[in-house]
PDB file of all heavy atoms in Angstrom:
ATOM      1  N   LEU A 115     168.372  50.594  87.457  1.00 93.00           N
ATOM      2  CA  LEU A 115     167.092  50.590  86.985  1.00 93.00           C
ATOM      3  C   LEU A 115     166.432  49.076  86.825  1.00 93.00           C
ATOM      4  O   LEU A 115     165.420  48.925  86.252  1.00 93.00           O
ATOM      5  CB  LEU A 115     167.025  51.229  85.672  1.00 93.00           C
ATOM      6  CG  LEU A 115     167.347  52.800  85.744  1.00 93.00           C
ATOM      7  CD1 LEU A 115     167.458  53.292  84.353  1.00 93.00           C
ATOM      8  CD2 LEU A 115     166.338  53.468  86.671  1.00 93.00           C
ATOM      9  N   PHE A 117     164.692  47.031  88.477  1.00 96.00           N
ATOM     10  CA  PHE A 117     163.636  46.641  89.467  1.00 96.00           C
ATOM     11  C   PHE A 117     162.287  47.030  88.836  1.00 96.00           C
ATOM     12  O   PHE A 117     162.343  47.826  87.894  1.00 96.00           O
ATOM     13  CB  PHE A 117     163.999  47.310  90.919  1.00 96.00           C
ATOM     14  CG  PHE A 117     163.758  48.717  90.884  1.00 96.00           C
ATOM     15  CD1 PHE A 117     162.613  49.332  91.175  1.00 96.00           C
ATOM     16  CD2 PHE A 117     164.826  49.657  90.470  1.00 96.00           C
ATOM     17  CE1 PHE A 117     162.351  50.708  91.181  1.00 96.00           C
ATOM     18  CE2 PHE A 117     164.723  50.899  90.499  1.00 96.00           C
ATOM     19  CZ  PHE A 117     163.472  51.609  90.709  1.00 96.00           C
ATOM     20  N   VAL A 119     158.736  48.969  89.876  1.00 96.00           N
ATOM     21  CA  VAL A 119     157.910  49.686  90.645  1.00 96.00           C
ATOM     22  C   VAL A 119     156.721  49.014  91.015  1.00 96.00           C
ATOM     23  O   VAL A 119     155.996  48.403  90.232  1.00 96.00           O
ATOM     24  CB  VAL A 119     157.663  51.068  89.986  1.00 96.00           C
ATOM     25  CG1 VAL A 119     156.752  51.797  90.810  1.00 96.00           C
ATOM     26  CG2 VAL A 119     158.919  51.845  89.683  1.00 96.00           C
ATOM     27  N   ALA A 140     155.953  53.398  96.472  1.00 94.00           N
ATOM     28  CA  ALA A 140     156.193  53.861  95.176  1.00 94.00           C
ATOM     29  C   ALA A 140     154.876  53.724  94.456  1.00 94.00           C
ATOM     30  O   ALA A 140     154.468  54.548  93.567  1.00 94.00           O
ATOM     31  CB  ALA A 140     157.256  53.148  94.448  1.00 94.00           C
ATOM     32  N   GLN A 143     152.213  56.121  95.285  1.00 94.00           N
ATOM     33  CA  GLN A 143     152.570  57.551  94.793  1.00 94.00           C
ATOM     34  C   GLN A 143     152.555  57.705  93.270  1.00 94.00           C
ATOM     35  O   GLN A 143     152.614  58.726  92.777  1.00 94.00           O
ATOM     36  CB  GLN A 143     153.904  57.951  95.333  1.00 94.00           C
ATOM     37  CG  GLN A 143     153.941  58.054  96.793  1.00 94.00           C
ATOM     38  CD  GLN A 143     153.056  59.117  97.411  1.00 94.00           C
ATOM     39  OE1 GLN A 143     152.922  60.269  96.825  1.00 94.00           O
ATOM     40  NE2 GLN A 143     152.356  58.859  98.474  1.00 94.00           N
ATOM     41  N   GLY A 144     152.567  56.581  92.578  1.00 95.00           N
ATOM     42  CA  GLY A 144     152.573  56.580  91.082  1.00 95.00           C
ATOM     43  C   GLY A 144     154.051  56.943  90.598  1.00 95.00           C
ATOM     44  O   GLY A 144     153.998  57.505  89.542  1.00 95.00           O
ATOM     45  N   TRP A 145     155.111  56.731  91.282  1.00 96.00           N
ATOM     46  CA  TRP A 145     156.300  57.094  90.968  1.00 96.00           C
ATOM     47  C   TRP A 145     156.898  56.339  89.747  1.00 96.00           C
ATOM     48  O   TRP A 145     156.582  55.093  89.657  1.00 96.00           O
ATOM     49  CB  TRP A 145     157.278  56.975  92.047  1.00 96.00           C
ATOM     50  CG  TRP A 145     157.154  58.025  93.173  1.00 96.00           C
ATOM     51  CD1 TRP A 145     156.528  59.230  92.987  1.00 96.00           C
ATOM     52  CD2 TRP A 145     157.481  57.813  94.437  1.00 96.00           C
ATOM     53  NE1 TRP A 145     156.499  59.889  94.305  1.00 96.00           N
ATOM     54  CE2 TRP A 145     157.097  58.956  95.272  1.00 96.00           C
ATOM     55  CE3 TRP A 145     158.097  56.872  95.193  1.00 96.00           C
ATOM     56  CZ2 TRP A 145     157.228  59.205  96.595  1.00 96.00           C
ATOM     57  CZ3 TRP A 145     158.308  56.997  96.646  1.00 96.00           C
ATOM     58  CH2 TRP A 145     157.855  58.200  97.347  1.00 96.00           C
ATOM     59  N   SER A 146     157.800  56.934  88.954  1.00 96.00           N
ATOM     60  CA  SER A 146     158.593  56.169  87.902  1.00 96.00           C
ATOM     61  C   SER A 146     159.728  55.575  88.718  1.00 96.00           C
ATOM     62  O   SER A 146     159.966  55.835  89.799  1.00 96.00           O
ATOM     63  CB  SER A 146     159.028  57.186  86.867  1.00 96.00           C
ATOM     64  OG  SER A 146     160.000  58.097  87.521  1.00 96.00           O
ATOM     65  N   ARG A 147     160.603  54.770  87.943  1.00 96.00           N
ATOM     66  CA  ARG A 147     161.757  54.223  88.544  1.00 96.00           C
ATOM     67  C   ARG A 147     162.665  55.400  89.028  1.00 96.00           C
ATOM     68  O   ARG A 147     163.159  55.319  90.218  1.00 96.00           O
ATOM     69  CB  ARG A 147     162.534  53.378  87.527  1.00 96.00           C
ATOM     70  CG  ARG A 147     161.853  51.993  87.373  1.00 96.00           C
ATOM     71  CD  ARG A 147     162.850  51.168  86.404  1.00 96.00           C
ATOM     72  NE  ARG A 147     162.315  49.836  86.304  1.00 96.00           N
ATOM     73  CZ  ARG A 147     161.693  49.319  85.169  1.00 96.00           C
ATOM     74  NH1 ARG A 147     161.588  50.125  84.130  1.00 96.00           N
ATOM     75  NH2 ARG A 147     161.341  48.172  85.212  1.00 96.00           N
ATOM     76  N   ALA A 148     162.945  56.352  88.273  1.00 96.00           N
ATOM     77  CA  ALA A 148     163.889  57.487  88.689  1.00 96.00           C
ATOM     78  C   ALA A 148     163.346  58.112  89.891  1.00 96.00           C
ATOM     79  O   ALA A 148     164.076  58.445  90.719  1.00 96.00           O
ATOM     80  CB  ALA A 148     164.019  58.308  87.556  1.00 96.00           C
ATOM     81  N   GLU A 149     162.036  58.498  89.901  1.00 97.00           N
ATOM     82  CA  GLU A 149     161.403  59.116  91.038  1.00 97.00           C
ATOM     83  C   GLU A 149     161.599  58.225  92.432  1.00 97.00           C
ATOM     84  O   GLU A 149     161.810  58.824  93.356  1.00 97.00           O
ATOM     85  CB  GLU A 149     159.916  59.382  90.737  1.00 97.00           C
ATOM     86  CG  GLU A 149     159.701  60.452  89.659  1.00 97.00           C
ATOM     87  CD  GLU A 149     158.252  60.627  89.431  1.00 97.00           C
ATOM     88  OE1 GLU A 149     157.529  59.554  89.246  1.00 97.00           O
ATOM     89  OE2 GLU A 149     157.787  61.784  89.191  1.00 97.00           O
ATOM     90  N   PHE A 150     161.299  57.018  92.172  1.00 97.00           N
ATOM     91  CA  PHE A 150     161.399  56.102  93.269  1.00 97.00           C
ATOM     92  C   PHE A 150     162.832  56.124  93.795  1.00 97.00           C
ATOM     93  O   PHE A 150     163.039  56.124  95.051  1.00 97.00           O
ATOM     94  CB  PHE A 150     160.982  54.710  92.945  1.00 97.00           C
ATOM     95  CG  PHE A 150     160.839  53.703  94.058  1.00 97.00           C
ATOM     96  CD1 PHE A 150     160.752  54.023  95.317  1.00 97.00           C
ATOM     97  CD2 PHE A 150     160.929  52.349  93.754  1.00 97.00           C
ATOM     98  CE1 PHE A 150     160.554  53.251  96.348  1.00 97.00           C
ATOM     99  CE2 PHE A 150     160.640  51.331  94.823  1.00 97.00           C
ATOM    100  CZ  PHE A 150     160.479  51.871  96.151  1.00 97.00           C
ATOM    101  N   LEU A 151     163.791  56.033  92.990  1.00 97.00           N
ATOM    102  CA  LEU A 151     165.331  56.034  93.364  1.00 97.00           C
ATOM    103  C   LEU A 151     165.553  57.355  93.974  1.00 97.00           C
ATOM    104  O   LEU A 151     166.218  57.476  95.066  1.00 97.00           O
ATOM    105  CB  LEU A 151     166.199  55.846  92.174  1.00 97.00           C
ATOM    106  CG  LEU A 151     166.225  54.404  91.694  1.00 97.00           C
ATOM    107  CD1 LEU A 151     166.702  54.371  90.175  1.00 97.00           C
ATOM    108  CD2 LEU A 151     167.147  53.656  92.423  1.00 97.00           C
ATOM    109  N   ASP A 152     165.173  58.555  93.511  1.00 97.00           N
ATOM    110  CA  ASP A 152     165.320  59.887  94.044  1.00 97.00           C
ATOM    111  C   ASP A 152     164.705  59.946  95.544  1.00 97.00           C
ATOM    112  O   ASP A 152     165.360  60.447  96.331  1.00 97.00           O
ATOM    113  CB  ASP A 152     164.900  60.880  93.142  1.00 97.00           C
ATOM    114  CG  ASP A 152     165.726  61.192  92.036  1.00 97.00           C
ATOM    115  OD1 ASP A 152     166.898  60.807  92.026  1.00 97.00           O
ATOM    116  OD2 ASP A 152     165.256  61.834  91.076  1.00 97.00           O
TER     117      ASP A 152
END
Side-chain angles (χ1 to χ4, degrees):
L115 298 174
F117 68 93
V119 173
Q143 297 295 320
W145 291 333
S146 67
R147 280 187 178 105
E149 288 171 320
F150 191 19
L151 286 159
D152 283 343

